[in-house]
Every structure is written in C-alpha cells, then in structure tokens.
Amino acid sequence: PSEVTAVSLEPNQRKLYLGDDVGHLLCINYSTGGLIKNFEKNKGEVCSLAYCDEDKCLLSATWDGKVFVHDDTEKGLADPEHLRLMKGHDKDVTCIAVCWNLQLIASSGADGRVQLWGWEFGKHEGSLVGHHDEVSAVKFLEPWPLLLSVDTSGNMCVWSVGPGLHRTRLAKRIQHISLPIPKPLPELSDLEAAEQLAHPRAPEMGPGMVAGVIAAEHDRESNWIIVGDELGGIAVYSIVDMVTSLGSYCTPVGTHRKPSAEEMKQRRHGKQVLPPVPNEQLGGTLLDAKRPFTEEHVNRDSLWPAQIADPKVLKRW
C-alpha cells in the first residue's frame, strides 16, 4: 500500500480527499469510508491538497513543482482530468491555498518562493520574494487582502495581495520565538538532591529561541494566527493591531459571486496546460537577492503606512 502524504476535508465535511506518495488522488465518503471517485493520477508524490467549495474544484501540488486544479463536479468512479496545470517552483511545492473572493491561488515551495496564480485561467500573478529557507505553509487571512507565509527559519511574513499597486508588497515580517525551555539542572550532591525533593523549586527558564515554523492556521472570527514550530511549540498571534495600522490599505474583500452550474460547465470545456513560468519572472529568494530584504517593498509610495504594528503574541504552549 502507498503512503498518504496529503489530506483535505470538504467544508461540508462529507467528503475527504487523499493524496499519496505515488500520485493517486482519491475522494472518500467521510462517514462510511467508501470510495466516491478517483482523480487523474499525478506523476509524482502529492505534497499538498486544498479545496475550493465555490467552484467545486480540488487543488493538488506535487514534488516536481507543479500545481493542478481538478474538476470535482463529475460523478462516478471515472478519472476526471485536471482543468489547469501551473508550474512555478524549482523544488517541491510544500503548501497551496486558495481564496475565492480574491480569485487567487498561492503556492509555496522548498525553493523559498511563494507564487500567486489567478483562479480563472491559472495566470501567474506575481512572486513574493523574501524568505531565507523552505516556505512551509501559506494561508490567506480572510476577509483581509493579506497572505501569511512561514518558513523553516522562523520567519513569518504577511503580504498585501489585494488588487492594485500593492499586490505582492511585504506588509510585515517577524520572527517566531518558541516557548522558553527549562535550563538543564546542575549536578547535585546527595544532600542537595534530597533538599530538592523535599522542597521542589520551579526550574529556571532559559530564553526563548527562534524556531522554524512548520504549520499555520487562521481563525477568521477572532483574527488570530495559530502556528506550530519544529520544537513542538504552539503560539497564537492576534493581527487586529496590524490590520488597524494598515488602514485603508487593508479593507475587507468583497464576496465574489459563485458560478452557476451552467457557468461551471462552460468553463470546464477543455483542459488548460500553461507553459512553465520563465525563471526571470519567478523572483528570487533572500539568499540570492542582491538587495536587502525590504528595499524592494519600502517607499513604493509615500502613502503606505510608515509604522505597521507587529502581530501580538497572545499565548504560547
């Protein structure tokens, strides 16, 4: 049997989508475990899955840098073909996210890149440049026109991804500090050890340390970001102050109209396989950029807020 490498649950929680290490994509009945359908098999290991309920599509990403959009309106066990194929990463795609209201797909990769794609035709909409290391997760911070990306060096970046001049602009970058861990106890004599047992003292805590972020989630109702790191720590950040400081540059995104069944059918006529995006359009990473991290994103115009508040740490475990 093959190893399951990616999972996504339909918002209605009726269907479960699975991807494995040999490229199979399955749709499973969440209640019974029965197979509903197979999707067109990918040629490589499935690294990430996401689901767009508004357009009834499954998105998958593979180890060879490709992102696929699959039709989920077809019924039965036939293998529905993918509708679109985008390629914009030199290494594994680590995570994909979709925002229907912004009509955007975001993909992150082990190459340190974050790419934006248009939903309708899969057109490359821009590159988010500035990560040191593998980007482990991306998340749209709805209803705001913002995208969170995190990497294995502990960087957390919030990007402006709304339409207009400031799409792909870095709004804020912070480093995730994991929960402080106890300092190792010094070697105790028998008398000191007995005293410690009789009257336990709380261990002295060491300083927190930068830890690579490996998972991220966003709670829309509370405007919280929840991240997990490589040391096993979990942290909750509030983005309320950051959104407020962005002012008019961060207004809630309007609701994009859902397509009718007939519109879905018309748009699904024929497969779209887009050519790979040329390297010169993909953007670099911090390691190969010739300019400092923020130079490309600062002073694009004088109206952009001079001071943007950091996401506020609420709790760590």
Side-chain angles (χ1 to χ4, degrees):
S2 53
E3 179 182 348
V4 175
T5 54
V7 178
S8 182
L9 182 63
E10 180 198 34
N12 294 328
Q13 299 185 1
R14 292 180 297 185
K15 295 188 287 187
L16 185 68
Y17 300 89
L18 305 176
D20 65 21
D21 57 354
V22 293
H24 292 118
L25 287 170
L26 308 176
C27 178
I28 305 294
N29 186 303
Y30 182 72
S31 300
T32 67
L35 176 66
I36 297 177
K37 74 172 76 170
N38 292 290
F39 291 88
E40 182 180 6
K41 184 177 179 293
N42 291 338
K43 293 183 179 179
E45 177 180 321
V46 180
C47 303
S48 181
L49 293 175
Y51 192 78
C52 179
D53 189 50
E54 292 84 355
D55 207 15
K56 303 303 178 187
C57 287
L58 176 70
L59 291 84
S60 67
T62 57
W63 66 271
D64 55 355
K66 296 176 181 176
V67 177
F68 300 87
V69 179
H70 309 266
D71 182 11
D72 193 36
T73 59
E74 299 294 329
K75 296 182 179 180
L77 297 179
D79 297 354
E81 292 186 342
H82 59 256
L83 301 173
R84 289 182 288 285
L85 163 62
M86 298 89 77
K87 180 169 173 52
H89 295 275
D90 293 333
K91 296 182 180 179
D92 296 17
V93 178
T94 54
C95 186
I96 46 177
V98 59
C99 179
W100 173 255
N101 291 330
L102 283 171
Q103 291 286 282
L104 285 178
I105 300 167
S107 61
S108 61
D111 56 4
R113 291 169 171 157
V114 178
Q115 306 294 1
L116 294 179
W117 313 91
W119 175 260
E120 185 73 21
F121 301 109
K123 179 186 175 183
H124 184 244
E125 295 287 346
S127 299
L128 309 183
V129 181
H131 279 282
H132 294 264
D133 213 332
E134 175 180 320
V135 184
S136 48
V138 286
K139 202 74 181 177
F140 285 100
L141 305 181
E142 297 188 75
W144 316 109
L146 301 172
L147 177 76
L148 170 71
S149 60
V150 297
D151 67 30
T152 53
S153 292
N155 295 297
M156 298 171 55
C157 296
V158 178
W159 308 87
S160 173
V161 292
L165 174 66
H166 298 287
R167 174 166 284 182
T168 76
R169 180 168 187 161
L170 178 68
K172 198 67 184 179
R173 171 180 175 260
I174 64 169
Q175 283 200 304
H176 168 69
I177 307 297
S178 189
L179 186 71
I181 58 176
K183 289 183 177 179
L185 293 173
E187 193 170 327
L188 303 177
S189 66
D190 291 343
L191 184 60
E192 290 172 328
E195 176 68 19
Q196 174 70 13
L197 287 173
H199 304 284
R201 296 188 301 271
E204 185 179 354
M205 303 300 290
M209 59 183 296
V210 175
V213 182
I214 57 175
E217 190 54 72
H218 172 240
D219 182 67
R220 179 176 180 145
E221 298 299 323
S222 60
N223 279 311
W224 288 357
I225 294 172
I226 304 98
V227 300
D229 63 44
E230 61 189 357
L231 300 179
I234 299 173
V236 178
Y237 295 82
S238 170
I239 62 171
V240 172
D241 291 344
M242 183 189 69
V243 168
T244 301
S245 64
L246 282 166
S248 61
Y249 289 96
C250 190
T251 55
V253 178
T255 302
H256 193 80
R257 184 180 65 87
K258 294 182 181 180
S260 65
E262 183 60 29
E263 288 172 327
M264 285 188 191
K265 184 177 179 181
Q266 291 176 358
R267 288 221 310 271
R268 282 156 166 75
H269 181 69
K271 181 193 297 188
Q272 296 175 352
V273 180
L274 302 173
V277 180
N279 283 331
E280 60 269 19
Q281 296 180 22
L282 291 178
T285 65
L286 181 61
L287 296 180
D288 60 26
K290 297 180 180 179
R291 292 173 291 177
F293 180 88
T294 57
E295 183 177 325
E296 182 178 343
H297 305 281
V298 174
N299 297 325
R300 193 176 296 179
D301 69 68
S302 59
L303 299 178
W304 184 259
Q307 296 293 330
I308 299 175
D310 288 344
K312 181 181 179 182
V313 180
L314 299 179
K315 193 168 184 179
R316 291 192 179 102
W317 291 272

